[in-house]
Amino acid sequence: MSEQTQRDDVKIPAQSAAPAAETLPDAGPVAAPAEGAEPAAEPEAVVAQASAQASAQAAPEAVEPAVVTASEKAAAPEAVVAEAEAVSPDASPAAEPVPADEVPAEAATPEAATPEAVVPVRRKPLRERRGLRAALRWTAAVVVFAALGGAAAYAVTQPERTEIPGLETPDDGRWTYPALKLPKLPAGKPRALDTDRNRPRRHYADVRTLLLPAPAGAKVDKDFPGATGWLPTGDFLELYPKGDRKKLGAALEQNTLRHIAARAWTMGDGTRAEVYLLQFATLGYSGDAKDTFVLDGTPAQADSADYDTEWESTWLDDPELHPSLFDEDKPRGAEHVRYGYVQAGDVLAVVVLSKAGTQPAVPFHQTVLLQAQLLG
């Protein structure tokens, strides 16, 4: 995270066929030619009709009907005309063939001609077609609602709430911090974790301006200097047991400790929070000091502690930020203590939260994440 040119606000890491005509009645078998009639050669139109009838019987779903026009009747023998009339459902039993010279001129044209013999085609019952359409409609509706539901679930669960510590979500115990802003850097100075331009990883901004502010509803401890001063080294060492203070103090002195910025507050539920920023000369010195405090720097309020198993390493994805978080072992005393160390360049951040009974993990992780990002 940049201290000058980056963003001002700091945020963290939850098919239907078309309708057709009504079903046609079955015309029944084709009438045989009159007895004694001489067989005659069938014209091409009659052959085409017979082929269409055979195709309709073999394939019930054929759509193209066979039609015998008036001109074709005149060219065909009487027996064949009788056969075609027997097939047509509209033909009258007493109908006589019409001579070719009596056919009106307009009926002989293709545009005015009307079919006089239609081969019936078996189609699906209307009930089946309606059922298919209904099934398709319901399928489409299910797909649409599934897509909308998936999108809504995605919007609710992404990102996870535990990965956005800056938001106000009282139901999980998170605190409401004010908008976080980075201070301006001196002209020409790089950000602390710029690996190309700042090899010592030095913070050129006043580290007191990088202290995490108290959240809403907190009572600030006036004994801590905050942004107005520096905390004496001796006051900081009182956080640890008396038997460990000499060793820890020597580690601070040997690693060129420059100064300590500190802020503390108490929440309405009794949670006590303390944040310290220890600045050293370079990255190497702060790293050595962190190693000592990780091994021997257990606060006096906790008899023993182990690594915080609820912490996710992916929450801080900057390789230049090195967190080590701890949770007090059971059985605990009157208070539950959680604490952690975060090395960010030449600064070592120390965050300690304690509460009578049980100290939830959410506000602790939230505080560590926000303070680490301010330093990054």
Side-chain angles (χ1 to χ4, degrees):
M1 176 176 299
S2 172
E3 297 173 349
Q4 181 178 15
T5 60
Q6 304 91 343
R7 64 187 187 278
D8 289 334
D9 294 333
V10 179
K11 297 181 180 178
I12 296 291
Q15 38 190 296
S16 159
E22 294 297 328
T23 305
L24 297 176
D26 190 358
V30 178
E35 185 175 357
E38 290 296 331
E42 296 181 351
E44 293 181 359
V46 178
V47 174
Q49 174 188 358
S51 300
Q53 291 177 354
S55 300
Q57 293 175 358
E61 294 184 359
V63 178
E64 187 75 21
V67 178
V68 179
T69 65
S71 59
E72 291 172 344
K73 283 186 178 183
E78 294 181 359
V80 177
V81 173
E83 176 184 354
E85 291 175 347
V87 174
S88 173
D90 297 332
S92 173
E96 293 295 335
V98 180
D101 54 356
E102 295 182 9
V103 177
E106 58 272 15
T109 61
E111 292 79 0
T114 57
E116 299 198 15
V118 180
V119 178
V121 178
R122 182 183 178 277
R123 305 182 59 190
K124 292 184 178 180
L126 183 59
R127 180 180 302 173
E128 295 182 12
R129 298 200 302 273
R130 289 176 176 172
L132 177 59
R133 296 191 191 103
L136 291 175
R137 286 196 298 268
W138 277 107
T139 301
V142 170
V143 171
V144 170
F145 279 106
L148 292 175
Y154 184 85
V156 170
T157 60
Q158 297 294 328
E160 294 182 6
R161 295 166 62 196
T162 54
E163 297 177 355
I164 313 176
L167 297 183
E168 180 183 5
T169 50
D171 55 339
D172 67 356
R174 192 173 305 159
W175 294 340
T176 304
Y177 282 93
L180 305 180
K181 296 183 179 295
L182 292 170
K184 292 184 178 181
L185 291 170
K189 297 299 183 180
R191 58 186 289 265
L193 304 186
D194 188 333
T195 58
D196 296 328
R197 301 174 55 205
N198 192 349
R199 299 181 70 87
R201 309 295 194 274
R202 184 175 293 119
H203 283 81
Y204 289 99
D206 189 328
V207 294
R208 291 174 295 185
T209 64
L210 300 177
L211 272 171
L212 183 66
K219 182 179 180 181
V220 179
D221 190 339
K222 301 297 184 180
D223 292 336
F224 283 66
T228 62
W230 303 105
L231 184 73
T233 302
D235 292 354
F236 167 72
L237 291 174
E238 291 180 0
L239 178 64
Y240 302 96
K242 289 184 179 181
D244 297 334
R245 293 175 187 174
K246 184 177 181 180
K247 180 180 180 178
L248 296 176
L252 295 178
E253 183 179 357
Q254 294 171 3
N255 285 290
T256 66
L257 175 67
R258 298 174 59 190
H259 37 239
I260 303 174
R263 175 174 285 135
W265 63 85
T266 303
M267 300 299 293
D269 63 354
T271 302
R272 167 80 173 181
E274 300 178 9
V275 180
Y276 305 88
L277 300 182
L278 287 66
Q279 187 171 29
F280 298 85
T282 63
L283 169 71
Y285 291 114
S286 65
D288 289 345
K290 177 178 182 289
D291 292 341
T292 300
F293 277 82
V294 166
L295 291 175
D296 302 317
T298 302
Q301 298 167 274
D303 292 335
S304 63
D306 203 348
Y307 284 102
D308 187 348
T309 58
E310 298 179 69
W311 170 260
E312 297 288 344
S313 60
T314 56
W315 290 345
L316 281 179
D317 55 359
D318 191 330
E320 294 299 316
L321 295 172
H322 307 283
S324 296
L325 274 63
F326 297 87
D327 186 12
E328 183 181 3
D329 292 331
K330 294 179 180 181
R332 309 183 184 107
E335 293 184 334
H336 180 190
V337 180
R338 294 179 184 266
Y339 67 97
Y341 300 97
V342 181
Q343 181 194 5
D346 63 343
V347 172
L348 176 62
V350 183
V351 178
V352 182
L353 265 68
S354 59
K355 181 185 177 183
T358 301
Q359 168 60 57
V362 170
F364 171 61
H365 295 159
Q366 179 191 18
T367 303
V368 171
L369 285 168
L370 291 177
Q371 182 60 77
Q373 286 205 342
L374 281 171
L375 294 171

